[in-house]
């Protein structure tokens, strides 16, 4: 049996590819999406420079970029994981679930929008990136919700339904 690290670092097969893409996009969103936003908000709150009105950042806030343009990478990875997972029945205990991917995409949308408000330090050629990331995260939610709806109406092929267990072969 392969360890979780082996499944994340050297995926074999489509199921482990989905697992690895989901894991790395989740890690990217947390470390390079949520963490810079928290740091920027804490610095702004401590210095009293966080807001210029109820919803707008002050002109000199934040002191550094929140890396909002970098969220395109996990958005693309999560979109790819969602597309690969469409015909697969996913694991029920130790692997990715479509609901996990959908909630991660919703979190990604939130982090991207907050980063977009806080991040005026992006280069001009990267101003489109947070909008693209939010669009890809939104596409993941729509894609997985559509698949869930078709699944609940039993309109999917029989091979796509059910749950994969780690003891089965794919």
């Amino acid at each position: 049996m392969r360890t979780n690290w082996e499944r994340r670092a050297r995926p074999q097969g489509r199921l482990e590819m989905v697992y690895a893409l989901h894991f790395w996009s989740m890690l990217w969103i947390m470390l390079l999406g949520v963490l810079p936003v928290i740091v920027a908000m804490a610095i702004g709150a401590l210095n009293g420079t966080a807001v210029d009105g109820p919803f707008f950042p002050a002109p000199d806030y934040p002191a550094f970029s929140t890396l909002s343009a970098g969220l395109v990478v996990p958005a693309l990875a999560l979109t790819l994981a969602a597309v690969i997972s469409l015909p697969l029945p996913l694991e029920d205990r130790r692997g990715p679930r479509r609901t996990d991917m959908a909630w991660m995409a919703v979190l990604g949308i939130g982090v991207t929008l907050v980063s977009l408000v806080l991040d005026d330090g992006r280069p001009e050629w990267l101003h489109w990136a947070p909008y693209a990331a939010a669009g890809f995260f939104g596409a993941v939610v729509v894609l997985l919700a559509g698949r869930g709806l078709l699944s609940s109406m039993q309109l999917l092929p029989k091979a796509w339904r059910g749950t994969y267990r780690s003891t089965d072969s794919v």
Side-chain angles (χ1 to χ4, degrees):
M1 182 144 129
R2 292 167 46 89
T3 64
N4 282 342
W5 181 252
E6 289 173 331
R7 293 172 68 197
R8 293 173 187 151
R10 294 183 300 275
Q12 296 175 350
R14 291 183 302 164
L15 184 69
E16 287 189 4
M17 182 61 73
V18 170
Y19 179 72
L21 286 169
H22 176 254
F23 173 78
W24 291 111
S25 64
M26 179 179 63
L27 188 66
W28 185 291
I29 291 169
M30 292 299 171
L31 292 180
L32 297 177
V34 174
L35 195 61
V37 168
I38 290 172
V39 169
M41 293 173 107
I43 290 171
L46 290 174
N47 292 334
T49 61
V51 292
D52 186 24
F55 299 109
F56 302 103
D60 57 346
Y61 173 77
F64 62 92
S65 171
T66 58
L67 308 172
S68 63
L71 290 170
V72 170
V73 174
L76 286 172
L78 203 56
T79 304
L80 184 61
V83 168
I84 293 172
S85 76
L86 285 179
L88 296 176
L90 293 183
E91 285 187 76
D92 57 344
R93 289 193 184 108
R94 293 186 326 115
R97 295 182 184 99
R98 285 183 190 85
T99 54
D100 296 341
M101 284 190 272
W103 282 113
M104 188 54 57
V106 169
L107 176 68
I109 291 170
V111 169
T112 303
L113 294 178
V114 170
S115 292
L116 181 65
V117 170
L118 299 177
D119 191 6
D120 288 331
R122 289 186 314 279
E124 187 65 35
W125 62 278
L126 283 178
H127 274 279
W128 61 270
Y131 300 106
F136 281 120
F137 284 131
V140 168
V141 173
V142 169
L143 185 69
L144 295 178
R147 192 213 188 270
L149 182 64
L150 290 175
S151 178
S152 68
M153 295 183 339
Q154 296 184 350
L155 296 175
L156 294 177
K158 194 168 190 167
W160 290 24
R161 290 185 250 160
T163 50
Y164 166 80
R165 305 211 187 270
S166 57
T167 55
D168 296 342
S169 61
V170 175

